[in-house]
Amino acid sequence: MNAQFKKGVLEMCVLSLLAQGEKYGYELTEAISQKMTVAAGTLYLILKRLKDDGDVDTYLVESAEGPARKYYRLTEKGRSHEQQLTGEWQEFVRLVDELIRKGEA
Amino acid sequence: MNRKEYMERLQMDLEAVDEQTAKEILQDFTDHFEQGLSEGRSEEEISEELGDPAELISELNTRPHRQAQAESQTQIDALSMVSIEAESADITLKQGTGNDVLVDFYDSRNPLRVHNYRLETVQENDVYAIRVIRLQNSWLRAGAGEHLRLDVTLPSASLDVKISSMSGDIRVPEILHCGKFAASVQSGDIDIRALDAEAVQFTSASGDIHAAVRGELIEATSISGDLDLTQAHGKLGKFRTTSGDLDIRGCFQAVLAESKSGDLDLAIEAAESLKLDTISGDIHLTLPHTTGFVCSFTTISGDLRPHIHLPLERRGRQLSAGDGHAQIAVKTISGDLKISD
């Protein structure tokens, strides 16, 4: 998949996945890398930026089997940002679809 | 790569990054290793999945908090103008003591930024051009520019300055000496503490303009933004607004001011000629230390209210005061005119 597309879209994917439910870091990176080839490290950097921007906040959950897990969840700001991005994406996809289908009868 | 190697490489690459950011990243990656290992995956596999540390960290800035810096290597005599173009970055302009133009472009909140903008500095003949350019892949990040800052330090010599911005603010926090100064904004504000120029031109759509300026010709145009000039000093002042308010205090030989619905509040010393035009905007004209004037007021429904201590003579639409020295022509449709001294 085109690298330029990916960069812009990854952030939206992270926000969307979190909109579907709070997740811890590893869980999120696995969910995305199942569908796309992306360096998990990039996703952690995106998560950090989202946290610094106030779109996401984190909390720790103690675990019996291992180290404490850092969970990510959307803030109000993150929620509205996610809606804005997915809205723009869907509109974009619709427009591109129209353009490329114009060639077909 | 095994875990130890990976984390060591990562730590090395994080040396140029601020401590807090580095700490968080190291913790996240450590947790990722722990989780992966507990699921029975190999260190190699996890390193592979995380991605090359150097590549990842190069997505951060190598200089924390600075996306780009530039220094002109120009001969100062060859340079006559500095031109700055940005959309949303806030521009701060200062005057330095050297011969170079120094530029600092950064995100004020976060060193960790997808680079949606790029700084370009180039000398084109006698103009040093500074441009902040939006990159192609930023269509999904509308509004990502709000925290960008562009700090420009000008050489000590007086050059012409031309700045164009859309939503970014333009700030001059300390006295600036320059040739011709032109600043244009859409919704950003212009805030100038002290400007000493040959000529000044401000253009705004909805942004407000606050400035203390000195220049032979001072021109300011706004649509809905307010225009606030204090300690304005010039020969000719030309001010135009549609709905913004005009508040001008200073010394001019001649002033032309036009507004549709915005109000005009002018306190002008040493004026010889004033021409004021509004549709519905009210005018309050103060003439400190005036020796006298002749004022013609043409209006449909506006009122004339003189508050003058000099001997007054009113003849129809014309008001004479004192020695009748200054020439004042005022035209409104419904706006009122109040003249004080």
Side-chain angles (χ1 to χ4, degrees):
Chain A
M1 192 211 209
N2 183 292
Q4 296 286 65
F5 261 175
K6 238 202 243 166
K7 237 181 175 188
V9 158
L10 273 182
E11 199 176 276
M12 177 184 69
C13 291
V14 169
L15 286 170
S16 271
L17 279 174
L18 289 176
Q20 294 164 36
E22 302 173 1
K23 293 179 178 54
Y24 59 99
Y26 190 85
E27 199 185 351
L28 187 83
T29 58
E30 290 309 288
I32 296 190
S33 35
Q34 268 173 23
K35 299 266 161 87
M36 284 194 229
T37 313
V38 80
T42 304
L43 295 171
Y44 285 112
L45 297 188
I46 290 178
L47 283 167
K48 170 146 174 54
R49 184 177 67 235
L50 289 173
K51 182 167 170 219
D52 291 345
D53 282 359
D55 285 322
V56 141
D57 59 35
T58 62
Y59 57 95
L60 287 175
V61 171
E62 299 297 320
S63 163
E65 312 96 35
R69 285 178 180 168
K70 186 158 97 177
Y71 274 78
Y72 294 86
R73 68 177 160 206
L74 290 187
T75 60
E76 271 308 299
K77 178 169 183 257
R79 225 161 268 288
S80 73
H81 194 192
E82 189 261 347
Q83 282 174 0
Q84 182 207 341
L85 290 180
T86 51
E88 282 174 21
W89 167 257
Q90 277 152 0
E91 178 62 15
F92 181 74
V93 165
R94 188 182 68 81
L95 292 174
V96 170
D97 233 39
E98 267 177 39
L99 285 172
I100 58 186
R101 281 199 194 296
K102 276 216 155 100
E104 306 168 12
Chain B
M1 223 184 298
N2 68 26
R3 178 182 178 172
K4 186 157 173 290
E5 266 179 76
Y6 188 94
M7 293 307 288
E8 275 172 6
R9 279 259 240 115
L10 186 64
Q11 188 132 31
M12 241 173 36
D13 290 326
L14 281 171
E15 261 167 30
V17 172
D18 75 280
E19 212 186 309
Q20 181 58 33
T21 304
K23 217 167 129 206
E24 282 183 51
I25 293 176
L26 285 168
Q27 186 62 55
D28 285 339
F29 281 52
T30 302
D31 290 347
H32 191 94
F33 264 109
E34 294 282 326
Q35 186 66 43
L37 290 169
S38 79
E39 287 182 3
R41 298 167 71 196
S42 74
E43 287 180 6
E44 264 72 30
E45 202 192 324
I46 301 175
S47 300
E48 188 69 41
E49 173 181 71
L50 282 169
D52 179 62
E55 252 182 61
L56 287 175
I57 303 305
S58 75
E59 280 177 30
L60 304 180
N61 307 309
T62 47
R63 285 198 218 195
H65 305 291
R66 293 289 181 267
Q67 281 196 2
Q69 291 183 312
E71 247 180 66
S72 65
Q73 252 93 54
T74 58
Q75 286 291 54
I76 199 58
D77 348 282
L79 205 55
S80 75
M81 168 155 96
V82 172
S83 136
I84 304 171
E85 271 169 53
E87 279 179 12
S88 45
D90 286 336
I91 302 168
T92 302
L93 201 57
K94 284 196 183 150
Q95 191 143 40
T97 51
N99 283 336
D100 295 311
V101 178
L102 304 173
V103 183
D104 220 339
F105 176 54
Y106 58 99
D107 183 313
S108 67
R109 292 175 312 164
N110 204 330
L112 228 128
R113 207 75 202 171
V114 170
H115 298 204
N116 291 320
Y117 292 84
R118 166 171 78 79
L119 175 72
E120 183 183 274
T121 59
V122 62
Q123 179 152 8
E124 294 154 348
N125 300 317
D126 59 342
V127 176
Y128 188 76
I130 301 166
R131 290 186 196 107
V132 173
I133 299 171
R134 185 198 282 255
L135 299 179
Q136 305 294 40
N137 68 341
S138 61
W139 57 269
L140 266 189
R141 296 279 301 169
E146 337 57 288
H147 298 272
L148 294 178
R149 301 266 187 273
L150 182 65
D151 292 347
V152 178
T153 304
L154 297 172
S156 56
S158 268
L159 300 172
D160 292 342
V161 177
K162 186 159 179 268
I163 311 179
S164 147
S165 165
M166 306 270 290
S167 55
D169 298 327
I170 299 175
R171 287 186 207 113
V172 177
E174 297 158 8
I175 178 122
L176 188 71
H177 299 273
C178 63
K180 300 192 193 60
F181 185 93
S184 135
V185 283
Q186 287 278 336
S187 56
D189 297 326
I190 298 178
D191 229 293
I192 301 192
R193 185 132 183 274
L195 178 63
D196 189 348
E198 281 168 28
V200 177
Q201 190 183 67
F202 296 134
T203 313
S204 154
S206 57
D208 297 327
I209 303 174
H210 296 268
V213 276
R214 187 185 205 101
E216 270 202 31
L217 167 62
I218 301 179
E219 243 185 282
T221 310
S222 110
I223 300 194
S224 58
D226 295 328
L227 181 55
D228 207 316
L229 296 188
T230 57
Q231 300 168 56
H233 228 95
K235 284 216 176 109
L236 171 61
K238 269 163 102 169
F239 310 113
R240 209 175 307 134
T241 181
T242 300
S243 56
D245 295 326
L246 247 52
D247 199 315
I248 319 264
R249 261 132 239 302
C251 240
F252 289 96
Q253 277 180 27
V255 172
L256 269 98
E258 248 177 66
S259 148
K260 289 206 178 9
S261 56
D263 296 327
L264 304 182
D265 199 324
L266 312 174
I268 314 283
E269 262 188 82
E272 287 173 11
S273 150
L274 292 150
K275 200 158 167 293
L276 313 175
D277 227 293
T278 81
I279 302 214
S280 58
D282 294 325
I283 304 176
H284 181 190
L285 178 61
T286 309
L287 301 165
H289 317 303
T290 182
T291 54
F293 58 84
V294 175
C295 172
S296 73
F297 182 38
T298 313
T299 182
I300 306 278
S301 55
D303 293 324
L304 172 59
R305 283 186 231 108
H307 289 250
I308 305 283
H309 298 92
L310 299 165
L312 281 178
E313 213 184 288
R314 201 160 170 172
R315 243 179 277 139
R317 294 261 180 224
Q318 209 172 66
L319 182 69
S320 300
D323 64 2
H325 172 69
Q327 301 289 312
I328 308 176
V330 181
K331 240 198 307 184
T332 81
I333 303 282
S334 57
D336 298 327
L337 171 61
K338 179 175 167 196
I339 309 190
S340 323
D341 62 2

